[in-house]
Amino acid sequence: MSQILENIARHVALTSAEQDLFLAHTQTQLFEAKTIIQHAGTVCKHTYFVNSGLLRSFYINDHIVEHVLSFACEGWWISDMYSLLSGQPGNLFIEVLEEAQVILLEKSQQEILYREIPKLERFFRILTEKSLVAHQERLIDNLSLSAEERYEKFCQKYPSLIQKVPQKQIASYIGVTPEFFSKMKAKMLRK
């Protein structure tokens, strides 16, 4: 069974015919590292599932500073949810950090699948709920934890990303400058 079907099977059971129908509404693409697959200021038309590789979503503020919102490695979903759901131009870039095979599910195809396979609507509701909980938890962490505690939590939650993601992007994700991050890590190593 393909990885995306295994991902779906964790929450809903599809028949063989439904699996085939789902896959028929997707497309698989290979992207090179450093490829931007979603640009801020454009309408997001896809939800992306990572078969292999690593992606990140980020935005750039008025001071031209990047802020990493999320990472997506093998078996994870990523998109600009605001833009995808509202149909408005989004604020996020989605970049391929290492060569990736990605399954694209176009929003219009997703809507067709909701009608043809209603349990997929349940599946994507579950994903959205989990994403909402994770974002709420991260917001609370950013408001209440120190930078060291946020980094330790990142390491515990995403151990596979520590060696794959550039340090400056981890710094951005936890909300500190690369310079502060370097000093903080050096201090943590001395403990």
Side-chain angles (χ1 to χ4, degrees):
M1 183 183 303
S2 79
Q3 195 166 328
I4 195 168
L5 294 176
E6 290 173 11
N7 184 271
I8 293 169
R10 286 189 210 132
H11 303 289
V12 297
L14 299 180
T15 66
S16 294
E18 290 170 334
Q19 290 175 1
D20 292 343
L21 181 61
F22 174 80
L23 293 175
H25 285 274
T26 66
Q27 55 180 298
T28 303
Q29 290 187 0
L30 190 62
F31 294 102
E32 293 181 18
K34 300 185 180 178
T35 303
I36 302 290
I37 62 173
Q38 176 64 42
H39 290 268
T42 63
V43 176
C44 182
K45 296 185 185 205
H46 296 93
T47 301
Y48 306 96
F49 179 82
V50 183
N51 264 342
S52 64
L54 179 63
L55 282 68
R56 72 172 174 139
S57 68
F58 66 98
Y59 75 95
I60 300 175
N61 70 14
D62 293 338
H63 302 289
I64 325 258
V65 175
E66 287 184 11
H67 296 278
V68 176
L69 261 64
S70 64
F71 297 101
C73 56
E74 185 175 310
W76 293 7
W77 295 84
I78 192 167
S79 190
D80 181 335
M81 292 304 291
Y82 164 77
S83 179
L84 184 76
L85 296 175
S86 70
Q88 300 297 311
N91 298 316
L92 298 182
F93 292 89
I94 298 177
E95 178 186 25
V96 177
L97 294 178
E98 63 181 35
E99 184 178 289
Q101 184 187 60
V102 178
I103 296 176
L104 288 74
L105 176 57
E106 192 172 330
K107 175 71 171 154
S108 62
Q109 297 301 304
Q110 191 171 353
E111 292 296 332
I112 291 168
L113 286 167
Y114 287 164
R115 287 189 298 277
E116 295 183 7
I117 311 171
K119 54 188 124 175
L120 285 176
E121 196 160 28
R122 179 174 189 271
F123 170 73
F124 282 103
R125 177 186 51 81
I126 291 168
L127 283 188
T128 302
E129 289 171 351
K130 287 178 177 270
S131 175
L132 178 62
V133 168
H135 280 75
Q136 180 177 314
E137 182 179 300
R138 183 163 171 224
L139 178 60
I140 290 169
D141 288 349
N142 284 343
L143 294 171
S144 61
L145 300 179
S146 69
E148 278 186 21
E149 291 169 323
R150 291 193 307 271
Y151 177 63
E152 288 170 354
K153 194 165 186 178
F154 176 87
C155 292
Q156 290 167 0
K157 199 168 187 177
Y158 308 112
S160 65
L161 296 181
I162 297 166
Q163 299 303 317
K164 290 183 168 192
V165 175
Q167 298 294 296
K168 70 178 184 174
Q169 291 177 10
I170 294 174
S172 174
Y173 182 85
I174 66 168
V176 298
T177 64
E179 296 79 19
F180 180 88
F181 185 71
S182 292
K183 290 176 188 173
M184 180 189 75
K185 278 188 63 181
K187 180 181 165 190
M188 290 172 77
L189 289 172
R190 287 193 299 267
K191 286 185 180 178

